[in-house]
Amino acid sequence: NMGAEGMDVQQQILHALEKNGVVISNEFAVSEKETHQKVVGAIKSLESLGNVINVKQIALKTWECTDEGNNLATSGSHEARLFNSLPPEGRSLTDIKASFPNSNFALGAAMKNKWLKKEGEKVIPAVSAIEDEVQIHLKAIAAGGENSVPDKIKAEYKKRKLIKEVDMTVFEVSKGSAFTTSVMKQEAELTKEMIESGQWKGKTFKPFNFKSKGRIEQRSGYLHPLMQLRSEFRQIFLEMGFTEMPTNNYVESAFWNFDALFQPQQHPARDAHDTFYVAEPGKTISVPEDYLQKVKKTHSSGGYGSIGYQYDWSREEAHKNLLRTHTTAVSARMLYKLAQEGFQPVKFFSIDRVFRNETLDATHLAEFNQIEGVVADYSLSIKNLMGLIKGFFEKIGITKLRFKPAYNPYTEPSMEIFSYHEGLKKWVEVGNSGMFRPEMLRPMGIPEKVTVAAWGLSLERPAMIMYGINNIRELVGPRVKMELILDNPLCTIDKWTPTGNNS
Amino acid sequence: MPTVSVNRDVLFNALGRFYSDDEFNELCFQYGLEVDDVVDDPEKGITYKIEVGANRYDLLCCEGLALALSVYLGKKSLPNYQLMPAKETEKYKLIVKPSTAQVRPYVVGAVLRNMKFTQAVYDSFIDLQDKLHQNLARKRTLVAIGTHDLDTVSGPFIYDAKVPQDISFVPLNQSQAIRADKLLEMYSHDSHLKEYVPIIKDKPVYPVITDQKGVVLSMPPIINGNHSKITLNTRNVFIECTATDRYKAQIVLDTLVCMFSGYCDQPYTVEPVQVEYPDGERVQYPTLYYRQQEASVSYCNMLTGVNETAESIAAMLTTMSLSAKPQGQDKVIVEVPPTRYDILHECDIAEDFAVAYGFDRLAADMKMPPTNTIGQEFELNYLSDKLRLLLSQNNYTEAATFSLYSRIDMGERMKVNLENESWVKVANPKTTECEAVRISLLPGLLKTLSANKHISLPLKLFEVSDVVLRDTCPSATRGTGARNQRHICAINYNVKVGIEKVQGLLDNIMVALKVPYAGDNNSQGYYLEEKEHPSYFPGFCGSVIISGVPVGHIGLVHPEVITNFNLNNPAAALEIDMQKVLELINLGK
């Protein structure tokens, strides 16, 4: 912002322009005894007004004083100071040499200028007054008026390291198409008073700089990117007509987490290396007894057309509490409830936390969110499961899918879901799926002709891909990089891919 | 999923052709296998590490993989595993002593006659035993295998269990006899064997198998004796498997003999061993049992979504190593071989049929199920989302922290005595970070602040998520003894901050939920009441109360808590039990 002083310089420039037609910034500074910087500032302000002036940049070589040069410009040359320090009767040579700084140089130069002469042991003034040309020259150079100093002298001063050559940008100013000598004071902003009084009509406003960034008065609130992605997946399930399961129970019994899913008690996934068991409350309070008996029988000796796993099923093992390893534990509870209440076709989904006793690293967390979809109806086939998965993945823009036979203790058939990754140029696993085994469904009381299709994936993996991060802990948990939340206020997914486009 | 290492050339040789990596990957994909890694070793050549389904014990070695794939490709037919009469019935006996019941009650055995070992066969034989030990046998706890050069020992064999001081033998690859207790002490420092030591260490008696002359064949499940060690010159192999699970011992033995009987002079033949239990029970092993399993054609078609005939299904099943015959129009009789213990139900048959049919072919005709339902959100989640939006509109930023904490973060650093809290304790965490399920969201937000000190202040964070509490109510805890409770937590961290900052947020939440402010502490509505809480600065902590019921805390975080989390600015915090609030105002039941 230009103060009143700045306005004066602007005004002087405009007057000089009107008179001379052209103003060169550095010359103007010398003639007006202003610093060049201030003159340039005034030119810039005038330029910002529009077409009042035209400005051309010129690159120049110019001279400026070194520290030593500035020193002499202020206090005078050594020889002048020596001359001025002598009384009319002079002083002894030894005395001068002992007390005057740079005495040798000063004596030599003063003698050469014939300012001083020797009388025996004494040095006495030879003239009554002197003109210190060195000081005059240096002062002129310091003020930008180097043209008054002959080139030969400049070369000598350069050698003496009193001045140095520098690059300089100067501005040649000429009248613009809208030239005027009367520039008005610019208003910083449009005010209530101006609007009410109508004064804004006669005002000029300081132009807005469209090239600068805006300013936020207070940081706004943000939703976490992972939670936003969770919302997107919830929305997709809801669009597909799925009902959300109540998954708000992290502590689960081994019974619902494993046994109900026909996962044998010696299955490696039940090992303490993979599953967090709970010390307190270590045992579950209750499990529906008649159902437990059916599960026990199916595991140990079979039933419903199955030979079972042929082992001694332990109630104690089933009653152990753990942190659920999958939300399928809740799906099992929901299917059991459904069978008790009278079966009708359903579509269930959930997105919630599951726990694995992992050693934590860049891609493994001890807890993550599992996305799960379950459809129970009469005579569903794996073609239906594939269709569901395709419909679901198309909603996140993934259209190229393949299914690989896999093994899962509680589904048969089981399929791993692969999608073609254009970047990696290969098929990558994006989820798991299958049809729940009859040994899981029938003890619950689900009718014989009913089949249940289910698929699942983690929420964190697509989030990592979406936000391009390699270390999961930068996204989830207390060590989150806050920038990631602040930089991603909107989470959108490509769910408008036309269906049926399988190319 | 187990991973099996197979030499590429040996495998391709068995398959009768060379495959490029892409071709072989494709074959595996269709069959349900996955090449995990390819290792090129200058000495051993190229090794494929192939991931196989955890229930397919018959694919855990090169022999089994090559056979299954050859049958799938139609290049080989299924072998018929045959149990021959025992050469010397009296000698090939395993006599079980009563004391084994105290430690490892079951044993099974078999003899492979006139085998030809090469280094590759020997390595694969050892490798399969290792794979079976690791997977099906649950690290030897359920089953342990011992294989011996039959010609170095003389039956009948005795399976006994003795006090450790009474067992002494030269263990495998050692030269000195060592007493069992000392041996276990020694192996407790052995990187390979130490994990098996605890299986019997503290038992009163240790299992031991000896021959007629007292030569120790093995001390299961730890180590074999050196005397009966198998070498490349071994022709006749005696196999014993001791177990705590009789059925799994049968599976392990059947798998092992089926996979390696192909190297006998008379391929796919095995000689039996008679096991005599103390109660007089006599059982002959291996069973090599071929089980008849019926599969309904309409069921297979329904589950797969196709319409194939019984003949066609039977033919496809045969390519999956299941020999099958149509019986009438709606039945296929499958002869489940002793290699396919994974077949439990006709759904397993249907799956093999689907794989043989080809998942790609099925996918070409995939269709949405006809199931018409109306979607519905879980009300608690619906309301949580509304409140999350409200909090972010109040310029608070959402954090997503873990529900597992260390005890120190949840207790000591929060100045909370966990003895007084109904918290859920994790029994076996691998790291201290996972010792406890959180009872409060505040430590997570403090840790989030601590990790983001480079962000300009004020930092205002919130989280709407579940804490977990112990509870004896069966219905509230769904029978488990612990229930989730959804909380709202918010923190305002700044150079200067007062309680009123988060109180304003609380007011906005209450306005949104239409709960009036009850300043006189008596009427319906919400109010604050001064109440101490160890995590908050004394005199600057209040209880948030709705209609007389406390629902949470508000206050200045205790300066010691601030410094405990490596922070240095004051913070005002609010944590309320959202579920309780909703209950009190009759929302979200």
Side-chain angles (χ1 to χ4, degrees):
Chain A
N1 284 340
M2 282 291 147
E5 217 179 330
M7 282 300 289
D8 284 352
V9 180
Q10 287 180 36
Q11 209 59 56
Q12 284 162 13
I13 292 170
L14 292 174
H15 286 308
L17 270 181
E18 189 172 47
K19 203 168 136 201
N20 307 326
V22 71
V23 165
I24 311 288
S25 61
N26 61 329
E27 291 170 9
F28 185 78
V30 174
S31 67
E32 298 297 323
K33 298 194 168 47
E34 291 287 356
T35 64
H36 188 234
Q37 198 186 358
K38 198 163 169 185
V39 172
V40 170
I43 291 170
K44 290 277 177 197
S45 294
L46 289 170
E47 191 183 13
S48 73
L49 296 176
N51 296 318
V52 176
I53 57 167
N54 294 328
V55 180
K56 208 169 90 187
Q57 275 192 33
I58 305 166
L60 279 185
K61 290 247 185 251
T62 183
W63 297 91
E64 72 178 30
C65 291
T66 61
D67 288 349
E68 172 69 1
N70 273 325
N71 189 16
L72 299 193
T74 317
S75 332
S77 65
H78 301 304
E79 52 274 31
R81 280 188 289 127
L82 175 61
F83 177 86
N84 291 333
S85 75
L86 288 187
E89 68 276 17
R91 277 163 74 186
S92 81
L93 190 61
T94 14
D95 197 14
I96 291 170
K97 283 194 172 174
S99 62
F100 196 84
N102 297 309
S103 55
N104 278 347
F105 184 90
L107 280 167
M111 295 288 189
K112 195 176 158 208
N113 289 349
K114 300 197 189 325
W115 292 348
L116 301 176
K117 58 185 178 191
K118 268 178 96 176
E119 256 188 23
E121 270 305 295
K122 271 186 154 182
V123 175
I124 58 167
V127 290
S128 57
I130 57 162
E131 190 180 37
D132 187 357
E133 256 193 326
V134 173
Q135 185 177 28
I136 292 163
H137 288 153
L138 289 174
K139 267 189 172 166
I141 289 169
E146 87 230 19
N147 289 347
S148 59
V149 184
D151 287 346
K152 213 179 106 191
I153 303 233
K154 280 192 272 204
E156 186 203 323
Y157 288 174
K158 187 185 172 191
K159 216 167 133 193
R160 282 180 59 190
K161 295 200 169 63
L162 299 178
I163 62 172
K164 62 186 175 192
E165 212 166 11
V166 289
D167 292 323
M168 183 192 197
T169 304
V170 302
F171 297 89
E172 184 188 295
V173 184
S174 57
K175 290 181 190 171
S177 57
F179 180 76
T180 169
T181 51
S182 57
V183 277
M184 256 194 283
K185 182 174 169 280
Q186 290 181 308
E187 298 294 342
E189 57 193 355
L190 184 62
T191 64
K192 168 181 153 71
E193 287 74 24
M194 291 176 198
I195 292 170
E196 283 174 350
S197 65
Q199 279 170 2
W200 60 270
K201 288 174 190 154
K203 305 262 186 202
T204 344
F205 292 87
K206 189 167 186 287
F208 179 75
N209 181 2
F210 286 95
K211 299 283 183 250
S212 70
K213 279 192 84 179
R215 216 166 48 212
I216 291 164
E217 305 209 338
Q218 188 188 10
R219 186 183 294 133
S220 72
Y222 297 88
L223 293 176
H224 192 284
L226 187 77
M227 296 297 106
Q228 290 195 59
L229 188 61
R230 184 182 71 173
S231 298
E232 292 302 315
F233 277 110
R234 282 182 85 229
Q235 179 68 24
I236 289 168
F237 278 114
L238 293 167
E239 285 170 9
M240 290 173 75
F242 281 66
T243 289
E244 191 171 27
M245 294 187 272
T247 44
N248 54 333
N249 60 317
Y250 298 161
V251 175
E252 189 54 277
S253 58
F255 179 81
W256 285 108
N257 195 78
F258 294 125
D259 296 284
L261 303 182
F262 196 54
Q263 196 149 343
Q265 294 187 329
Q266 303 85 353
H267 193 276
R270 299 180 72 147
D271 204 285
H273 288 291
D274 296 304
T275 299
F276 283 116
Y277 283 91
V278 169
E280 293 167 37
K283 294 263 167 259
T284 207
I285 303 173
S286 63
V287 169
E289 185 60 27
D290 55 337
Y291 174 46
L292 177 140
Q293 288 302 334
K294 287 178 189 160
V295 168
K296 174 182 176 173
K297 186 179 170 298
T298 315
H299 276 247
S300 51
S301 58
Y304 314 102
S306 174
I307 60 166
Y309 291 117
Q310 308 285 323
Y311 71 101
D312 292 332
W313 188 85
S314 147
R315 177 190 290 266
E316 194 192 348
E317 191 63 37
H319 273 209
K320 282 182 180 169
N321 271 334
L322 45 80
L323 298 179
R324 66 166 176 233
T325 62
H326 46 198
T327 48
T328 319
V330 179
S331 307
R333 285 176 176 271
M334 293 299 283
L335 290 168
Y336 171 74
K337 187 163 166 261
L338 180 70
Q340 302 311 298
E341 290 168 353
F343 178 82
Q344 53 177 346
V346 290
K347 295 199 284 207
F348 288 142
F349 84 95
S350 64
I351 308 170
D352 211 340
R353 276 172 218 249
V354 297
F355 302 83
R356 303 280 165 92
N357 199 0
E358 296 265 14
T359 311
L360 312 180
D361 63 31
T363 53
H364 292 90
L365 295 175
E367 52 187 290
F368 62 93
N369 285 275
Q370 184 188 342
I371 302 172
E372 178 164 347
V374 178
V375 179
D377 202 348
Y378 293 94
S379 305
L380 294 179
S381 71
I382 52 175
K383 280 187 181 172
N384 293 137
L385 175 57
M386 288 170 169
L388 276 166
I389 292 167
K390 179 180 150 73
F392 175 82
F393 277 98
E394 269 179 358
K395 287 216 170 247
I396 53 170
I398 293 175
T399 53
K400 232 172 153 180
L401 290 177
R402 253 193 112 177
F403 302 93
K404 175 175 159 289
Y407 169 68
N408 222 325
Y410 48 90
T411 56
E412 192 82 3
S414 310
M415 315 188 294
E416 280 169 1
I417 309 161
F418 280 72
S419 108
Y420 191 74
H421 194 289
E422 294 294 345
L424 298 172
K425 296 261 175 266
K426 66 172 190 179
W427 293 89
V428 294
E429 195 189 331
V430 292
N432 220 325
S433 67
M435 310 291 290
F436 285 146
R437 294 187 70 99
E439 294 101 319
M440 166 182 168
L441 299 174
R442 300 293 307 287
M444 292 172 170
I446 297 281
E448 193 179 347
K449 294 275 182 246
V450 170
T451 48
V452 180
W455 77 99
L457 58 151
S458 90
L459 176 64
E460 280 77 0
R461 215 172 115 78
M464 283 175 80
I465 295 167
M466 190 165 163
Y467 297 108
I469 52 170
N470 298 322
N471 186 347
I472 183 65
R473 283 170 292 193
E474 287 181 7
L475 178 68
V476 203
R479 273 172 280 170
V480 64
K481 273 177 85 174
M482 193 62 67
E483 293 87 340
L484 202 72
I485 307 179
L486 306 182
D487 291 347
N488 291 286
L490 281 191
C491 162
T492 58
I493 51 176
D494 175 24
K495 59 178 181 178
W496 289 273
T497 311
T499 47
N501 174 9
N502 222 349
S503 59
Chain B
M1 292 285 175
T3 303
V4 183
S5 297
V6 291
N7 181 285
R8 186 190 69 172
D9 296 342
V10 172
L11 181 67
F12 287 177
N13 205 26
L15 295 180
R17 63 160 279 200
F18 180 84
Y19 288 83
S20 71
D21 281 355
D22 281 349
E23 286 170 333
F24 189 67
N25 277 329
E26 181 56 29
L27 174 65
C28 286
F29 194 99
Q30 288 179 11
Y31 197 78
L33 303 166
E34 194 171 339
V35 181
D36 220 27
D37 200 6
V38 182
V39 182
D40 193 352
D41 184 295
E43 277 174 37
K44 293 183 188 161
I46 291 174
T47 301
Y48 280 146
K49 304 216 165 185
I50 302 174
E51 206 179 279
V52 307
N55 62 339
R56 289 297 298 269
Y57 320 119
D58 60 317
L59 303 180
L60 287 174
C61 61
C62 184
E63 288 73 11
L65 267 172
L67 180 63
L69 289 174
S70 300
V71 171
Y72 177 66
L73 295 168
K75 296 194 168 167
K76 255 189 196 164
S77 53
L78 281 169
N80 186 27
Y81 303 104
Q82 257 187 302
L83 200 57
M84 306 302 279
K87 216 170 174 186
E88 291 162 283
T89 326
E90 270 315 298
K91 278 181 107 176
Y92 305 139
K93 263 189 191 170
L94 263 162
I95 297 158
V96 183
K97 297 290 182 187
S99 56
T100 56
Q102 294 175 62
V103 52
R104 209 169 174 86
Y106 307 108
V107 69
V108 297
V111 169
L112 289 174
R113 177 78 58 194
N114 292 325
M115 258 188 87
K116 275 196 199 81
F117 277 109
T118 62
Q119 189 62 48
V121 172
Y122 179 85
D123 290 347
S124 180
F125 190 55
I126 300 296
D127 209 36
L128 176 61
Q129 292 175 47
D130 193 45
K131 287 281 182 310
L132 290 167
H133 275 152
Q134 290 308 313
N135 296 287
L136 182 59
R138 294 301 301 282
K139 297 181 176 157
R140 302 192 189 177
T141 54
L142 304 179
V143 187
I145 311 162
T147 54
H148 312 276
D149 187 331
L150 180 63
D151 301 326
T152 64
V153 286
S154 52
F157 304 99
I158 316 292
Y159 178 39
D160 203 351
K162 297 179 186 170
V163 292
Q165 291 75 14
D166 290 352
I167 307 170
S168 182
F169 65 104
V170 182
L172 192 65
N173 300 329
Q174 301 281 332
S175 50
Q176 300 279 314
I178 306 174
R179 219 171 68 185
D181 49 342
K182 301 232 168 82
L183 190 61
L184 250 58
E185 178 53 37
M186 185 173 101
Y187 286 149
S188 64
H189 306 291
D190 182 287
S191 63
H192 172 56
L193 293 172
K194 67 179 175 197
E195 67 173 314
Y196 310 117
V197 169
I199 304 174
I200 56 165
K201 182 107 202 289
D202 298 324
K203 301 279 181 188
V205 287
Y206 292 177
V208 60
I209 294 180
T210 52
D211 79 345
Q212 207 41 48
K213 296 173 188 156
V215 171
V216 172
L217 277 73
S218 66
M219 185 176 76
I222 312 294
I223 191 87
N224 287 348
N226 196 54
H227 181 89
S228 56
K229 182 181 173 178
I230 291 187
T231 67
L232 293 184
N233 299 321
T234 298
R235 295 297 321 270
N236 301 309
V237 178
F238 174 65
I239 304 170
E240 41 83 4
C241 306
T242 56
T244 54
D245 182 319
R246 190 170 179 163
Y247 188 61
K248 289 200 172 59
Q250 176 186 326
I251 299 176
V252 165
L253 184 67
D254 275 354
T255 305
L256 200 58
V257 297
C258 287
M259 292 301 114
F260 285 87
S261 56
Y263 294 112
C264 293
D265 283 353
Q266 216 181 328
Y268 305 117
T269 61
V270 188
E271 283 179 29
V273 166
Q274 173 114 332
V275 177
E276 295 183 12
Y277 283 102
D279 62 358
E281 188 190 356
R282 300 213 172 344
V283 205
Q284 182 179 278
Y285 289 99
T287 61
L288 291 189
Y289 177 51
Y290 281 81
R291 186 169 66 84
Q292 306 284 309
Q293 167 86 52
E294 278 183 17
S296 140
V297 168
S298 52
Y299 175 77
C300 290
N301 280 328
M302 182 272 286
L303 200 58
T304 314
V306 296
N307 194 13
E308 294 290 313
T309 61
E311 284 77 14
S312 146
I313 291 174
M316 283 192 246
L317 286 173
T318 307
T319 67
M320 298 302 293
S321 301
L322 291 171
S323 102
K325 284 195 291 279
Q327 190 180 80
Q329 291 200 335
D330 192 49
K331 219 178 263 179
V332 170
I333 306 291
V334 180
E335 200 177 41
V336 181
T339 45
R340 294 298 305 274
Y341 279 93
D342 58 298
I343 306 283
L344 307 176
H345 186 274
E346 64 176 335
C347 68
D348 298 299
I349 308 276
E351 182 189 53
D352 271 21
F353 160 59
V355 173
Y357 187 94
F359 278 19
D360 286 344
R361 258 175 94 193
L362 294 172
D365 184 40
M366 60 170 96
K367 45 191 94 170
M368 285 293 279
T371 318
N372 270 322
T373 51
I374 291 171
Q376 176 80 51
E377 289 175 82
F378 177 43
E379 196 176 7
L380 184 62
N381 291 354
Y382 169 76
L383 293 167
S384 298
D385 278 2
K386 297 280 172 200
L387 286 163
R388 288 174 51 238
L389 200 60
L390 179 80
L391 285 152
S392 71
Q393 284 162 349
N394 277 271
N395 293 331
Y396 279 72
T397 289
E398 186 173 33
T401 65
F402 297 135
S403 44
L404 298 181
Y405 288 169
S406 68
R407 288 177 67 143
I408 287 189
D409 280 343
M410 193 159 99
E412 208 175 295
R413 293 203 171 106
M414 293 301 289
K415 295 172 67 69
V416 166
N417 183 359
L418 290 177
E419 303 273 311
N420 306 330
E421 305 292 329
S422 303
W423 61 289
V424 170
K425 186 178 167 190
V426 177
N428 56 328
K430 277 199 185 122
T431 61
T432 55
E433 284 174 88
C434 303
E435 291 170 321
V437 188
R438 65 183 173 198
I439 50 170
S440 158
L441 303 179
L442 189 54
L445 293 188
L446 289 166
K447 285 186 87 171
T448 309
L449 288 176
S450 183
N452 285 284
K453 286 196 282 193
H454 58 288
I455 303 287
S456 64
L457 296 179
L459 262 172
K460 296 188 282 185
L461 301 180
F462 80 91
E463 189 165 11
V464 178
S465 196
D466 287 349
V467 303
V468 181
L469 302 167
R470 289 208 309 267
D471 187 339
T472 51
C473 171
S475 65
T477 66
R478 301 179 195 177
T480 63
R483 67 178 153 83
N484 282 29
Q485 201 69 17
R486 190 144 308 167
H487 277 200
I488 295 174
C489 187
I491 191 162
N492 191 323
Y493 178 70
N494 204 352
V495 199
K496 228 172 96 175
V497 68
I499 299 176
E500 67 283 356
K501 297 269 178 170
V502 283
Q503 198 182 352
L505 179 69
L506 176 70
D507 293 342
N508 281 353
I509 294 171
M510 291 302 163
V511 168
L513 293 172
K514 298 196 170 66
V515 183
Y517 180 64
D520 60 0
N521 294 9
N522 283 319
S523 56
Q524 296 292 308
Y526 77 99
Y527 55 89
L528 304 185
E529 208 170 70
E530 189 181 337
K531 181 130 199 300
E532 296 286 290
H533 184 290
S535 304
Y536 293 87
F537 197 30
F540 293 87
C541 176
S543 199
V544 180
I545 298 172
I546 296 181
S547 308
V549 182
V551 296
H553 286 94
I554 188 167
L556 284 182
V557 179
H558 198 292
E560 284 171 17
V561 173
I562 296 277
T563 51
N564 285 345
F565 283 90
N566 206 10
L567 295 167
N568 58 355
N569 287 297
L574 164 74
E575 178 155 11
I576 51 175
D577 182 336
M578 171 186 147
Q579 243 172 303
K580 200 178 243 175
V581 173
L582 296 177
E583 254 168 57
L584 289 167
I585 62 172
N586 287 314
L587 258 178
K589 285 215 155 166

